[in-house]
Amino acid sequence: MSFKSIFALVALAVAASAVPSPRAVCSTGEVVSHAACCQWIDIREDLQANLFDGGECGEETHESLRLTFHDAIGFSPALFREGKFGGGGADGSIMAFAQIETNFHANIGVDEIVETQRPFALKHGVSFGDFIQFAGAVGVSNCAGGPRLQFLAGRSNISQPSPDLLVPEPSDATDTIIARMGDAGFTPNEIVDLLISHTVAAQDHVDPTIPGTPFDSTPSDFDAQFFVETLLAGTLFPGNGSNVGEVESPLKGEFRLFSDSEFARDSRWDCMRWQSFITDHTAMVAKFEAVMSKLATLGHNPLELIDCSEVIPVPAAVKLTAPTLPAGKSMADVQAACAATPFPTLSVAPGPATSVAPVPPS
Ligand code: HEM
Ligand SMILES: *[C@@H]1O[C@H](CO)[C@@H](O)[C@H](O)[C@H]1NC(C)=O
Ligand SMILES: *[C@@H]1O[C@H](CO)[C@@H](O)[C@H](O)[C@H]1NC(C)=O
């Protein structure tokens, strides 16, 4: 070997060692791109077994996904511009200061999942902000056809209580929600993308007499059935009459939020967006993954966090049934919002009109 080639080899070796390779083999044998990601494998296994009932898309998954939003949206550049504290975004403050934040009206019911999650976060010694986003990402990977969300680790555990009135209410006017979400950095189209979450969702507190009432007929499937059913004419209240933030739904046992109803019917922005998900599941998942990356890092510089997305489970490959019009409905019940782009033609589920079963408490 010539001096020249030995020199080249040494130069290569020096270059390689100058770039520290954080790749690590975890105790499970899984290889991760950064040693800091190993602990999230243990947390994932613990959550799947002991929080999500063996990997289900049930009540805890739904609540954990909702919590990612209620922690993160406590972030207002407008308040900072007024010289006030505007909140730290996805900083875990809703868990650290639960006695303050879970008493905000819009956070009704989140105290349950905060108290359920906290012991897991403490046991594993990770920050509350990281933990909340991680639990939401692992949980929603359990939903049939679900997304694989990005997960970045390294949020500080130090936070201050979020100011009140930053979390949208289901009774809020669309303009109010657009202004609030816009302050946090979301376009109206991105609000629609965030509402994809409501395809795996139920309510417990808008009408507390009927806990577990889902927003669509398939609350454990990450499918577009929500986007079909929210566009059907409302005919009934599933519970004991109307409540603040509620409007009539099209199916017995199904719940419709006023805000979802308004967003579904608003044609001020990309009119196609709501109904476009009905025929394009891949796009729906991709839109949700993109907007959740933004939500999960509100108040943070993503470049300062460590990408541990590889620890998030790959959702099982399942063949979702294509969205349908529920039995007993027809195209005449569709209240499509876009004159220019017709609502897709869907088949009608066979049989007599059915009612939607509640999400069982677990
Ligand atoms: C436009 C803003 C939004 C409003 C007004 C809104 C409102 C609501 C309301 C009132 C409930 C029922 C809570 C209960 O009674 O238990 C709910 C449930 C839920 N929300 Fe939202 N939401 C919004 C955006 C979001 C976002 C951005 C996410 C997540 C990314 C989300 C995820 C969920 C989930 C998963 C549930 C179901 C919780 C469960 O089944 O226990 N929501 N939402
Ligand atoms: C995070 O802060 C809470 C108090 O808000 C504390 O109980 C917990 O031990 C802290 N966790 C870590 C990892 O520092
Ligand atoms: C239903 O509403 C009526 C009238 O508002 C009230 O008297 C009754 O107690 C309610 N029932 C339940 C189960 O909440």
Side-chain angles (χ1 to χ4, degrees):
M1 203 181 273
S2 70
F3 269 122
K4 221 175 163 187
S5 54
I6 288 174
F7 180 78
L9 272 178
V10 169
L12 255 180
V14 168
S17 64
V19 180
S21 172
R23 283 179 77 79
V25 182
C26 309
S27 59
T28 56
E30 250 174 270
V31 180
V32 289
S33 56
H34 195 293
C37 301
C38 282
Q39 68 170 325
W40 293 100
I41 294 178
D42 303 330
I43 304 173
R44 177 189 70 202
E45 299 306 306
D46 194 9
L47 294 187
Q48 290 289 47
N50 302 310
L51 178 62
F52 300 131
D53 309 309
E56 285 184 6
C57 180
E59 193 187 20
E60 276 80 19
T61 282
H62 301 170
E63 289 182 348
S64 295
L65 185 59
R66 181 179 179 223
L67 185 59
T68 65
F69 176 54
H70 288 241
D71 188 36
I73 202 63
F75 178 66
S76 170
L79 284 178
F80 281 113
R81 282 195 299 272
E82 288 170 26
K84 298 175 188 151
F85 177 65
D91 61 355
S93 64
I94 202 165
M95 190 174 281
F97 301 99
Q99 73 285 5
I100 298 171
E101 291 193 32
T102 66
N103 283 313
F104 298 163
H105 187 264
N107 286 339
I108 186 163
V110 299
D111 56 317
E112 290 167 30
I113 191 66
V114 166
E115 297 315 318
T116 307
Q117 283 190 4
R118 185 188 284 107
F120 289 93
L122 292 175
K123 172 181 163 193
H124 293 283
V126 292
S127 74
F128 290 166
D130 277 355
F131 185 86
I132 288 171
Q133 298 305 321
F134 184 73
V138 171
V140 75
S141 79
N142 294 332
C143 305
R148 191 182 193 208
L149 300 185
Q150 183 183 59
F151 171 64
L152 305 183
R155 293 168 192 75
S156 164
N157 195 47
I158 314 273
S159 64
Q160 296 177 55
S162 167
D164 195 1
L165 307 179
L166 297 183
V167 183
E169 295 268 11
S171 54
D172 283 347
T174 303
D175 285 343
T176 308
I177 295 178
I178 288 177
R180 173 71 275 278
M181 297 297 286
D183 173 29
F186 296 100
T187 65
N189 278 335
E190 288 175 326
I191 304 172
V192 173
D193 297 347
L194 282 167
L195 288 173
I196 296 169
S197 59
H198 282 183
T199 196
V200 287
Q203 75 84 40
D204 291 329
H205 300 94
V206 184
D207 184 343
T209 68
I210 46 167
T213 309
F215 297 160
D216 78 346
S217 57
T218 55
S220 59
D221 288 354
F222 201 88
D223 62 2
Q225 203 55 35
F226 170 75
F227 292 95
V228 175
E229 292 172 16
T230 47
L231 280 172
L232 298 174
T235 54
L236 58 89
F237 289 108
N240 196 18
S242 117
N243 297 276
V244 176
E246 180 184 16
V247 293
E248 285 182 330
S249 86
L251 296 172
K252 269 189 202 158
E254 181 163 306
F255 203 90
R256 184 178 289 168
L257 298 177
F258 169 75
S259 51
D260 286 345
S261 175
E262 295 291 297
F263 269 90
R265 284 162 183 72
D266 203 305
S267 58
R268 274 176 297 172
W269 50 86
D270 179 0
C271 173
M272 266 299 286
R273 208 172 188 89
W274 195 274
Q275 72 182 37
S276 71
F277 299 142
I278 298 169
T279 47
D280 194 345
H281 181 258
T282 306
M284 184 181 103
V285 170
K287 292 274 193 308
F288 191 64
E289 289 170 346
V291 79
M292 285 300 287
S293 299
K294 198 164 165 178
L295 182 77
T297 53
L298 282 184
H300 301 274
N301 178 356
L303 299 176
E304 289 170 358
L305 302 175
I306 298 164
D307 193 341
C308 293
S309 304
E310 59 211 349
V311 173
I312 302 299
V314 178
V318 287
K319 181 117 179 58
L320 291 171
T321 43
T324 53
L325 290 174
K329 300 292 177 185
S330 74
M331 290 296 285
D333 297 307
V334 176
Q335 298 177 327
C338 319
T341 41
F343 188 84
T345 307
L346 301 177
S347 58
V348 182
T354 50
S355 57
V356 179
V359 174
S362 43

